Amino acid sequence: MNIALVILAAGKGTRMNSDLPKVLHPLAGAPLLVHAMQTGRSLAPAATVVVAGHGADRVRAAALSYDATTTIIDQEEQLGTGHAALQARAPLKVFDGTVIVLFGDTPFVRPETLAAMIEARGTHDLVVLGFEAADPGRYGRLILEGEALTRIVEFKDASEAERAITLCNSGVLACDATLLFDLLGGLGNDNAAGEYYLTDIVALARTRALTATVVRCDEAETLGINTRAELAGAEAAFQTRARLEAFEDGVTMPAPDTVHFAFDTVIGRDTFIEPNVVFGPGVTVESGATIRAFSHLEGCHVAQGSIVGPYARLRPGTELNENVRVGNFVEVKNARVGPGTKINHLSYIGDATLGAQTNVGAGTITCNYDGVMKHHTHIGDEVFIGSNTMLVAPVQVGDRAMTGSGSVITSDVEPEALALSRAPQIEKPGMATKLFSILKAKKAQQQRGS
Ligand code: UD1
Ligand code: MG
């Protein structure tokens, strides 16, 4: 089935008390909106339309950075969910198929649930995602006749008897595109909120002898975020689920509560993750790797058998091949590190390519930034970089070359050469003893004077 997504994200989110639009607040390293987009992506949609309003420019930038093919449409005045969905009519003018409407502030809907809705669409014109609410509060209530959904009544407009219903509207729905925009065009706003309710299309469909049904999901999936406290609660829920999934995927974590995952973290089987590890967005760790305590990883790939940390930082663009060692207080950014290479202590490796079986000594720095531009460092295979080497980029060190400790390397080093660039050591016999006595006499004089 041909699918288009329409994600409603124009609301202000007043209760967040923030300059940032609600849908851009981060959950597991990604804006709430991206979670909705990621779930929707599982349906391989032909088009994705995000309806933006408050902070539209920032919403646009976030949506496009996740998926550059997204269409962002402005809803200048927020006149209700029905009015918001109607904004997608123009960008979907030539689209033929089923539209799924999602909310940008509802991050936990599962791909399987959307798939079930698509299946139900096969036999119904309109499919609404509902859930049994423990506390139905202010949710819209789903009115059924048998299994047929006849209408949705908003809390504000509901009678006492309707408010007693616990089957609630999640906001997610699926409908044929032409029909949806046709129905939306016929909406009025004569209700308690004076808004165009998306939910009213169910009753409208009924008057045309079309059929609507409910697909039910767990209440946890429909959780919407309205406050910072709810955002923190959602983060906790996300992390709990991500940790359980990691266990199922064969990951060992002795202190799971201290390991934080991002929305897109991928961890292979038989990986060992020590306590207090943080995964930012875009991390893939292959099977059999070890991430040691207090390490921070984002935008990087760690291949099989590598050991990272403790206290390591892998920044975006880091690519560790098999059996690499990145040790304590080492930062790596935008660098490819060849198999078996070791960077074990106190180093900064940025904008670099390192070959296989190379050893980078303690305190080595790739001086990649000249104050204006970034430059690349290339280090070959089986190289020995002496401790405290400054590699002033752009610079290349050939295969099986060496640099002497404390060297400042400003020009390329030939393969198999030794490069040294430090002041030669001089030695003055007896001079230490002489200096000590001069200094001690000076100190004694000062103490007498004071
Ligand atoms: C909506 C549903 C309600 C359901 C609840 C589930 C309607 C009329 N009501 O109510 O049945 O139980 O969600 O959480 O649909 N938005 C826009 N433009 C607008 C208005 C809203 O883009 O003009 C967006 C918001 O940013 C948000 C989403 O639509 O992402 C839902 O809006 P919200 O105001 O939260 O609807 P509810 O009153 O919660
Ligand atoms: Mg809401």
Side-chain angles (χ1 to χ4, degrees):
M1 199 182 281
N2 211 10
I3 309 283
L5 299 177
V6 173
I7 305 179
L8 308 188
K12 189 173 180 198
T14 312
R15 289 196 283 153
M16 294 302 276
N17 188 15
S18 176
D19 289 338
L20 191 66
K22 176 166 79 175
V23 295
L24 298 190
H25 279 264
L27 175 72
L32 290 172
L33 173 64
V34 166
H35 289 262
M37 292 175 77
Q38 180 174 251
T39 306
R41 198 180 240 189
S42 66
L43 300 172
T48 299
V49 179
V50 171
V51 181
H54 282 278
D57 288 344
R58 295 166 82 176
V59 171
R60 172 177 289 105
L64 290 176
S65 84
Y66 177 69
D67 178 355
T69 68
T70 310
T71 303
I72 292 90
I73 188 97
D74 275 358
Q75 184 197 22
E76 278 165 18
E77 268 188 295
Q78 281 75 57
L79 302 179
T81 50
H83 179 258
L86 188 57
Q87 307 309 304
R89 176 157 59 183
L92 294 180
K93 204 169 181 164
V94 296
F95 171 77
D96 186 22
T98 289
V99 169
I100 300 259
V101 178
L102 299 171
F103 288 173
D105 65 354
T106 305
F108 290 132
V109 178
R110 290 181 315 136
E112 294 83 347
T113 300
L114 295 186
M117 292 181 71
I118 298 291
E119 202 185 314
R121 253 287 291 138
T123 47
H124 293 84
D125 299 300
L126 196 52
V127 180
V128 169
L129 182 63
F131 62 101
E132 282 294 339
D135 169 16
R138 305 187 64 80
Y139 286 119
R141 306 298 204 267
L142 302 185
I143 315 290
L144 298 182
E145 270 178 32
E147 266 308 289
L149 176 65
T150 57
R151 64 197 175 90
I152 303 176
V153 58
E154 287 304 294
F155 175 80
K156 283 184 186 171
D157 303 285
S159 66
E160 278 309 310
E162 287 165 342
R163 286 181 181 183
I165 294 170
T166 52
L167 182 62
C168 291
N169 176 31
S170 69
V172 180
L173 65 81
C175 184
D176 170 76
T178 314
L179 175 62
L180 174 68
F181 295 119
D182 193 18
L183 292 171
L184 288 172
L187 285 181
N189 66 347
D190 182 16
N191 53 48
E195 289 183 359
Y196 295 90
Y197 290 159
L198 173 59
T199 46
D200 280 351
I201 65 169
V202 175
L204 265 185
R206 183 88 175 164
T207 64
R208 300 194 194 177
L210 300 165
T211 67
T213 192
V214 182
V215 163
R216 290 172 174 79
C217 71
D218 199 86
E219 183 169 6
E221 283 188 53
T222 69
L223 181 79
I225 313 295
N226 299 295
T227 65
R228 306 235 188 198
E230 285 171 4
L231 183 63
E235 182 75 43
F238 178 94
Q239 295 301 337
T240 301
R241 199 185 58 193
R243 289 163 192 149
L244 290 175
E245 279 172 12
F247 287 139
E248 277 165 24
D249 292 345
V251 175
T252 299
M253 291 182 286
D257 289 352
T258 69
V259 176
H260 284 253
F261 293 102
F263 73 109
D264 60 352
T265 310
V266 179
I267 312 273
R269 206 163 156 261
D270 287 325
T271 299
F272 196 102
I273 304 175
E274 291 188 359
N276 294 298
V277 170
V278 175
F279 294 97
V283 177
T284 310
V285 178
E286 282 184 21
S287 46
T290 300
I291 311 297
R292 303 203 56 198
F294 299 99
S295 293
H296 189 285
L297 293 80
E298 60 184 317
C300 63
H301 173 239
V302 177
Q304 282 187 25
S306 288
I307 302 177
V308 174
Y311 297 98
R313 180 167 183 210
L314 302 186
R315 291 174 53 204
T318 297
E319 163 85 37
L320 305 186
N321 275 275
E322 287 172 22
N323 303 314
V324 163
R325 299 280 180 277
V326 171
N328 39 272
F329 305 106
V330 171
E331 174 180 344
V332 186
K333 183 212 77 169
N334 187 31
R336 298 173 70 88
V337 182
T341 286
K342 294 177 180 155
I343 315 162
N344 267 334
H345 332 269
L346 300 158
S347 288
Y348 171 65
I349 301 297
D351 302 313
T353 311
L354 280 66
Q357 305 293 341
T358 278
N359 189 86
V360 176
T364 294
I365 290 175
T366 53
C367 310
N368 59 331
Y369 187 48
D370 59 16
V372 181
M373 286 184 296
K374 300 276 173 66
H375 303 281
H376 196 84
T377 299
H378 182 98
I379 300 173
D381 297 338
E382 295 170 49
V383 170
F384 180 87
I385 301 290
S387 294
N388 203 34
T389 296
M390 301 292 118
L391 296 152
V392 182
V395 73
Q396 301 199 21
V397 180
D399 294 344
R400 293 172 301 283
M402 273 188 174
T403 69
S405 295
S407 291
V408 179
I409 303 297
T410 53
S411 41
D412 292 352
V413 179
E414 287 294 308
E416 302 184 14
L418 166 67
L420 279 172
S421 81
R422 57 187 187 204
Q425 184 170 324
I426 53 171
E427 190 160 320
K428 302 189 175 181
M431 191 62 183
T433 311
K434 210 166 158 183
L435 254 177
F436 274 133
S437 59
I438 291 169
L439 292 170
K440 279 175 185 164
K442 205 168 186 175
K443 188 175 181 186
Q445 200 181 14
Q446 275 172 357
Q447 279 167 347
R448 274 198 305 277
S450 66

